Amino acid sequence: MQRNAQTHYPILLVHGLLGFDVIGSISLFHDVRQALRNAGARVFVPQLSATHSNEARGAQLLAQIERVRERTGADKVNLFGHSQGALAARYAAAIAPTAVASVTSVSGPNQGSEVADVLRKALTPGRLPEQVAEKVAILFANFLSLMGAERGMQQNAIAALNALTTEGVATFNDKYPQGLPEIRGGEGREKVNGVGYYSWSGVLQNNLPDGGLNTLDPVHACLCALSRFFVTEIGQNDGLVGRFSSHLGKVIRSDYPLDHLATLRQPGIAARHGIDPIDLYVQHAERLKNAGL
């Protein structure tokens, strides 16, 4: 059966920290973009700094929203932000609500990341560990640029880390509260200033570190290890972001059996649970289409 996800407004897929559009033959959003296009959507992937603050990446996103609007003739765009991309999308919608039809947060740290808190405490400001960590992160970001990802974009690893801590996101939220729940774990307003707000995310399954098809996935194993640093959302996180920290606007679901990066790809464990992470994007585009967005 042919799917119809032909939204009224174009869709922009916004990557998060250390994300990219294309490196060589690898595209971060390849499967998502292709699935959406196959279902009739107009899809674009903006280029943002791999490492920088939420506001800096949001300003970059705003500039590229304007290019998409000029190219397509559309008045507005739908923003799908993965991880830190959700914060850039929120910034853009708060600054220019007339240019944004909707913001969808996918595994977004909308109340901050407890892993970022741990890293921030471990890296003493101004001392060698922080300088080394920043250098490594910038070298990696520059490597992504050399490989063809986000060429020429400025990088600032420490600004990115600070922007993702609970304190950093709280400061960001004070300025741009649109769509946030009033109570942690609740839902926010679905529409603010004419912009629709939605979110979904996943939770690591308790049995994954001990077995399952994802056990041999080194990225998944790393996320399982990072999940042990959570204090507030123990057992209720995707390895980088807490379940309730991800809530924004209308919550589609926040406990899919998916780790932080699995919301971009099809892992074995998701197939076992009957979850297709890629199809979640198509389903949501259909939802936006039915809402006239």
Side-chain angles (χ1 to χ4, degrees), residues 155-180:
Q155 311 296 337
N156 190 326
I158 296 304
L161 175 60
N162 291 337
L164 291 170
T165 62
T166 300
E167 181 180 359
V169 176
T171 300
F172 178 83
N173 288 345
D174 286 341
K175 299 176 183 176
Y176 316 108
Q178 293 85 348
L180 289 173

Side-chain angles (χ1 to χ4, degrees), residues 85-104:
L87 302 179
R90 287 177 49 200
Y91 173 89
I95 297 299
T98 58
V100 178
S102 70
V103 170
T104 300

Side-chain angles (χ1 to χ4, degrees), residues 97-115:
T98 58
V100 178
S102 70
V103 170
T104 300
S105 168
V106 181
S107 305
N110 294 303
Q111 301 291 342
S113 167
E114 293 188 55
V115 173

Side-chain angles (χ1 to χ4, degrees), residues 140-263:
F140 183 69
N142 288 338
F143 169 75
L144 295 180
S145 296
L146 288 173
M147 293 297 290
E150 305 6 352
R151 191 179 299 278
M153 307 299 284
Q154 292 184 340
Q155 311 296 337
N156 190 326
I158 296 304
L161 175 60
N162 291 337
L164 291 170
T165 62
T166 300
E167 181 180 359
V169 176
T171 300
F172 178 83
N173 288 345
D174 286 341
K175 299 176 183 176
Y176 316 108
Q178 293 85 348
L180 289 173
E182 293 185 4
I183 302 174
R184 188 181 182 90
E187 290 191 315
R189 289 172 57 192
E190 185 173 345
K191 184 155 286 191
V192 182
N193 297 332
V195 180
Y197 287 88
Y198 308 87
S199 62
W200 78 77
S201 59
V203 170
L204 283 168
Q205 302 302 289
N206 292 331
N207 64 323
L208 291 188
D210 303 318
L213 299 178
N214 268 1
T215 306
L216 299 179
D217 181 345
V219 173
H220 177 76
C222 179
L223 291 171
C224 285
L226 290 173
S227 71
R228 297 169 189 155
F229 290 102
F230 280 76
V231 175
T232 302
E233 297 200 56
I234 300 173
Q236 292 289 310
N237 64 79
D238 63 10
L240 288 178
V241 175
R243 173 183 179 182
F244 300 123
S245 177
S246 74
H247 284 199
L248 181 75
K250 178 177 177 59
V251 180
I252 308 304
R253 182 176 167 183
S254 59
D255 64 345
Y256 286 112
L258 303 168
D259 66 37
H260 190 72
L261 293 180
T263 45

